[in-house]
Amino acid sequence: GYNQMPAVVDNSVLFTSVNGGAYRVGLQDGKEMWHTPGVDGASTTTAGGLVVGPNEKAYVALNPRDGEGMLRVFSLATGEVLANKTFEHTVNAGPAVGPLRPGGPLAVFVAVGDNVACAPLGQHAVTARIVALDADTLAQLWEFVLPVGDGVTAGITLLDSCCPDVFGNPTVDADGTVYINWSGGWAYAVRDANGDGTVDIDDSAEVTAFHHGGGTNGNTGLAPGMAVVPSCWKILGYKSSD
């Protein structure tokens, strides 16, 4: 894989292999604490990564084969594989773990969608979505389906190209709002405000969006009263009006 998301936990470091395996080694001496092999025959081009939740579990995104994504769940203590969940398209961003809503259950958020072309050629309809899963059972809690794209990174030309993944990594805040940047040219903040399991793109209580017109490979950065959104040609900053 060409994205790596090491996690430092309790004087140790966790990281992944190209086929969805995971390692935990000592931070000071590099001594292996555990290693769990990856998925046999898995793609070596996943752009996913690893994240550790407050529930003593690690979540790894990978692509076991062309056109298919997977989320693997590991025991932080032993490396045992606790669960696998497959998706109908590849996963090319790291997952995020956070609350579904204030005081709500812990969730893992996964961006599902195949990467798009780096040149304005061969346009074709592509779909992508964000899913919120129960962090323990992996049952789906909500989904946000993005507009149908044309399979090409937004804003590129033959003379001015940018080649990001289809999504930057999701960022989730303490209220359960998920910030996600899409290479179809949009930055989103989404939440399932009414709890019906579907985030409605036409409902302003559930989706806030800005069209920056470019691809993006970065995640939204959050600070008190501020959000910063990266894209291929712009960095956008937003401040609270409070």
Side-chain angles (χ1 to χ4, degrees):
Y2 50 86
N3 285 351
Q4 188 59 264
M5 291 172 55
V8 177
V9 181
D10 295 334
N11 207 36
S12 68
V13 181
L14 290 90
F15 56 92
T16 59
S17 63
V18 295
N19 60 352
Y23 292 81
R24 186 177 186 183
V25 303
L27 180 62
Q28 302 301 322
D29 57 12
K31 183 178 179 180
E32 184 178 296
M33 300 171 65
W34 53 255
H35 164 229
T36 303
V39 177
D40 289 341
S43 166
T44 60
T45 59
T46 179
L50 174 148
V51 66
V52 175
N55 55 349
E56 299 296 312
K57 295 178 182 180
Y59 300 84
V60 172
L62 70 145
N63 297 324
R65 57 188 57 85
D66 289 343
E68 182 180 300
M70 177 182 285
L71 183 71
R72 301 185 87 192
V73 186
F74 297 85
S75 164
L76 182 61
T78 67
E80 175 189 0
V81 178
L82 303 176
N84 292 321
K85 186 176 183 66
T86 57
F87 301 97
E88 76 286 359
H89 293 290
T90 53
V91 178
N92 294 296
V97 176
L100 187 72
R101 63 181 71 90
L106 190 68
V108 54
F109 303 91
V110 183
V112 181
D114 299 330
N115 277 337
V116 291
C118 302
L121 304 170
Q123 285 90 342
H124 61 285
V126 294
T127 59
R129 64 191 182 112
I130 313 301
V131 294
L133 310 173
D134 185 282
D136 291 321
T137 68
L138 299 189
Q140 184 170 302
L141 302 173
W142 58 248
E143 74 170 349
F144 170 56
V145 178
L146 282 83
V148 175
D150 64 4
V152 174
T153 300
I156 62 171
T157 69
L158 290 175
L159 298 178
D160 190 4
S161 184
C162 176
C163 196
D165 296 320
V166 65
F167 287 111
N169 296 334
T171 301
V172 56
D173 71 11
D175 293 329
T177 298
V178 178
Y179 299 81
I180 188 75
N181 302 317
W182 176 49
S183 284
W186 290 84
Y188 291 99
V190 303
R191 65 200 68 80
D192 184 14
N194 60 11
D196 68 352
T198 300
V199 175
D200 183 355
I201 197 169
D202 295 319
D203 185 346
S204 62
E206 298 197 327
V207 177
T208 303
F210 180 79
H211 183 251
H212 53 69
T216 180
N217 207 72
N219 60 302
T220 295
L222 299 179
M226 178 178 289
V228 179
V229 177
S231 69
C232 284
W233 297 281
K234 301 174 184 177
I235 297 178
L236 308 168
Y238 301 89
K239 295 186 67 175
S240 171
S241 59
D242 296 338

